[in-house]
Amino acid sequence: MPRADTADLALDRITVGYGRPKARVTAVQDVSLRVAPGEFVVLVGPSGCGKTTLLRIAAGFVEPTRGTATVRGEAPVPGSATGVVFQQPRLFPWRTAGGNVAFALARHGVPRAQRAARTRELLEQVGLAGMEGRRTWELSGGQQQRVAIARTLAGEPRVLLMDEPFAALDALTRERLQEEVRTLAAASGTTVLFVTHSAEEAVLLGSRVLVMAAGPGRIVTELEVGLERGPGTDVAALRGTPEFSRLRGELAAVMRQASPPPRAD
Ligand SMILES: Nc1ncnc2c1ncn2[C@@H]1O[C@H](COP(=O)(O)OP(=O)(O)O)[C@@H](O)[C@H]1O
Ligand SMILES: [Mg+2]
């Protein structure tokens, strides 16, 4: 297989069917994709096209019906080289913000004596300095998602898988988190596969965008995003540039083509 050794994440001809043989749903069919080390790839497509299914395959949560998935050359094992951030933060409600992060550190074998300091560092990294004692119900939706990101970073994942992580947040919080995730990934060189159904978010974050269509789920096209974005990039200013608008428009058009409206007849 060419290039397999240079990819951090590789899906090769993945097909996934759900349900019993008589009521089979082909969620994704014959999907291949590669994400190079340090690359930020975005997967977009309409609801039901199989985005979550592909992420679950990459995370090692489910086995494909056909095809192979590899993370850094090996079959994916949940929680080893990959870290997953879901749309809902799914925190332990009986633990504090810090407790949720410390629990993840413990699971990844960080010695007890180092956990408090590392928890503080991780919460600081996601903009929650000094919040370790907060109860989860005292946190806003955005803050809870920040804790969820810190908890995932606790495992020092080589490959970060994010499934519409900001979809439930208000616009301003969403913009801030987009900027922070982009900066975090660029600074740490983490490989990212990010799922969204927003053209704007895809162009803002991705260096490459893979567009999916449904029925069955498949990748129909790919868009390179040539925008300059380093750790110091002012994302708000980037949104105002003509190049950004052009790319967003182009992607939105491709997405509309990939998911035609239901026929009226
Ligand atoms: N556990 C499951 N059992 C049966 N069908 C499923 C299951 N998970 C997803 N599907 C179906 O597979 C297709 C793809 O779902 P999903 O991967 O969640 O898409 P997306 O994340 O793009 O919205 C949909 O038709 C969905 O109904
Ligand atoms: Mg989904």
Side-chain angles (χ1 to χ4, degrees):
M1 268 180 284
R3 285 169 59 201
D5 47 338
T6 61
D8 252 4
L9 168 64
L11 301 184
D12 282 297
R13 311 202 62 173
I14 297 284
T15 294
V16 182
Y18 288 114
R20 280 163 298 175
K22 279 189 180 165
R24 201 95 174 131
V25 175
T26 304
V28 297
Q29 188 164 322
D30 209 16
V31 170
S32 299
L33 67 88
R34 274 163 208 288
V35 188
E39 199 182 11
F40 200 125
V41 171
V42 178
L43 208 51
V44 294
S47 173
C49 73
K51 304 182 297 294
T52 295
T53 297
L54 289 178
L55 238 71
R56 289 165 61 85
I57 298 277
F61 296 152
V62 288
E63 288 281 326
T65 310
R66 280 198 298 280
T68 53
T70 50
V71 174
R72 313 196 88 196
E74 298 185 9
V77 175
S80 53
T82 51
V84 187
V85 179
F86 302 96
Q87 182 173 339
Q88 298 300 333
R90 301 187 186 180
L91 302 176
F92 293 125
W94 62 90
R95 291 182 199 275
T96 58
N100 272 278
V101 177
F103 182 76
L105 289 169
R107 246 180 3 104
H108 284 95
V110 175
R112 183 180 292 273
Q114 294 170 19
R115 283 180 218 154
R118 186 74 188 119
T119 295
R120 270 197 303 279
E121 264 173 34
L122 284 163
L123 286 176
E124 203 178 303
Q125 249 190 322
V126 297
L128 295 177
M131 307 274 260
E132 41 282 24
R134 292 295 178 88
R135 295 282 158 185
T136 55
W137 64 81
E138 296 175 313
L139 302 173
S140 67
Q143 289 171 328
Q144 289 186 26
Q145 196 57 304
R146 287 169 194 270
V147 175
I149 293 169
R151 179 182 58 183
T152 299
L153 295 176
E156 298 184 11
R158 181 67 217 131
V159 179
L160 193 55
L161 304 169
M162 305 186 89
D163 193 0
E164 308 201 35
F166 311 142
L169 305 177
D170 65 87
L172 198 59
T173 306
R174 184 175 182 151
E175 283 178 20
R176 290 211 184 100
L177 277 164
Q178 286 167 341
E179 187 165 347
E180 289 169 20
V181 160
R182 178 81 211 182
T183 304
L184 268 173
S188 61
T190 306
T191 304
V192 185
L193 183 61
F194 188 105
V195 164
T196 180
H197 55 246
S198 154
E200 160 126 3
E201 185 162 79
V203 168
L204 193 70
L205 295 176
S207 45
R208 202 149 56 85
V209 180
L210 308 177
V211 183
M212 294 186 72
R218 63 206 186 276
I219 295 174
V220 288
T221 189
E222 178 176 327
L223 183 85
E224 292 282 340
V225 181
L227 297 169
E228 265 310 313
R229 286 153 306 185
T233 303
D234 178 347
V235 175
L238 187 68
R239 281 177 209 276
T241 62
E243 182 61 1
F244 179 81
S245 306
R246 191 188 64 74
L247 283 162
R248 186 189 48 200
E250 189 182 327
L251 178 60
V254 171
M255 286 169 68
R256 270 195 298 277
Q257 244 183 2
S259 57
R263 288 162 59 126
D265 56 357

